[in-house]
Amino acid sequence: MDVSPPYTTVIFTSHLADAKGYAETAAAMEALAAQQPGYLGIESARGPDGFGITVSYWADDASARAWKQVAEHQAAQEEGVRRFYSDYRVRVARVERAYTCPRPISP
Amino acid sequence: MDVSPPYTTVIFTSHLADAKGYAETAAAMEALAAQQPGYLGIESARGPDGFGITVSYWADDASARAWKQVAEHQAAQEEGVRRFYSDYRVRVARVERAYTCPRPISP
């Protein structure tokens, strides 16, 4: 995800409680997110303790908000609350600068 | 990390190339970060494929910048570049809103 800032990021942290069907739902949501206007990218990591962080990137706040409202995503969010996660947190943030190694994003 | 926005977050994504001594260095850096002015919290997840996300939280941009400059942290960053990571990326962002389940951060 090599877009230069500024852009919007949604940081989703969660503890996975029930993994049954989770991988399929998560993959379907990643594929659906990629079809939304303003989508820039998504990255995820989950450790053996069940704690995970997913960071998605959006052109602006409006596209991040719109994704939250997509019906199929809302159904997955409801299943997340009801079953997948013991807890989760969402933070919406504006990326102001970025740097990378080995190669720079901006000159 | 229950502080209400706004605050600053540093999103660090990396692929771990050489894990030897990494857990010790990462734990030492987390302990050192916690002693810095403006530190609010840190969360990490790394999957079996070696891809990891660490998110640290800071009162403001100045405290996030100051942490980057702490000498012992700089030495760890250099070792990260030289040995631990095949690649990494750092994004600095301003958290504008947050919500959580089951309980809200803000009333």
Side-chain angles (χ1 to χ4, degrees):
Chain A
M1 216 296 284
D2 272 337
V3 177
S4 294
Y7 51 84
T8 293
T9 182
V10 180
I11 305 165
F12 179 81
T13 56
S14 64
H15 286 95
L16 196 59
D18 180 354
K20 188 165 181 286
Y22 177 74
E24 293 77 4
T25 299
M29 286 307 106
E30 291 202 10
L32 186 64
Q35 297 170 20
Q36 304 308 310
Y39 170 88
L40 298 176
I42 195 164
E43 296 179 303
S44 272
R46 189 173 302 277
D49 60 352
F51 179 72
I53 303 176
T54 296
V55 188
S56 60
Y57 306 103
W58 301 89
D60 49 33
D61 192 80
S63 52
R65 283 185 193 268
W67 164 234
K68 187 172 189 303
Q69 300 304 325
V70 170
E72 201 176 334
H73 184 207
Q74 287 201 318
Q77 290 172 59
E78 282 160 22
E79 190 170 14
V81 172
R82 202 175 61 239
R83 194 164 69 78
F84 292 139
Y85 304 120
S86 57
D87 63 81
Y88 71 76
R89 187 157 299 186
V90 178
R91 294 177 172 95
V92 182
R94 188 73 173 157
V95 178
E96 294 168 349
R97 58 185 188 278
Y99 44 100
T100 185
C101 179
R103 77 189 158 78
I105 291 174
S106 310
Chain B
M1 216 296 285
D2 271 337
V3 176
S4 292
Y7 51 83
T8 293
T9 182
V10 180
I11 304 164
F12 179 81
T13 56
S14 63
H15 286 96
L16 196 59
D18 181 354
K20 186 165 182 284
Y22 178 72
E24 294 76 4
T25 299
M29 286 308 106
E30 291 203 9
L32 187 64
Q35 298 170 20
Q36 305 307 311
Y39 170 88
L40 298 177
I42 195 163
E43 297 178 303
S44 271
R46 189 174 301 278
D49 59 352
F51 179 72
I53 303 176
T54 296
V55 188
S56 61
Y57 306 102
W58 301 89
D60 50 34
D61 192 80
S63 52
R65 283 184 193 268
W67 164 234
K68 187 172 189 301
Q69 300 303 325
V70 169
E72 201 176 333
H73 183 208
Q74 287 202 317
Q77 290 172 59
E78 283 160 22
E79 191 171 14
V81 173
R82 203 175 59 240
R83 195 165 69 78
F84 290 141
Y85 305 120
S86 57
D87 62 80
Y88 71 77
R89 187 158 298 187
V90 178
R91 294 178 173 93
V92 182
R94 187 74 172 156
V95 178
E96 293 167 351
R97 58 185 188 277
Y99 45 100
T100 184
C101 176
R103 78 189 158 77
I105 291 174
S106 309

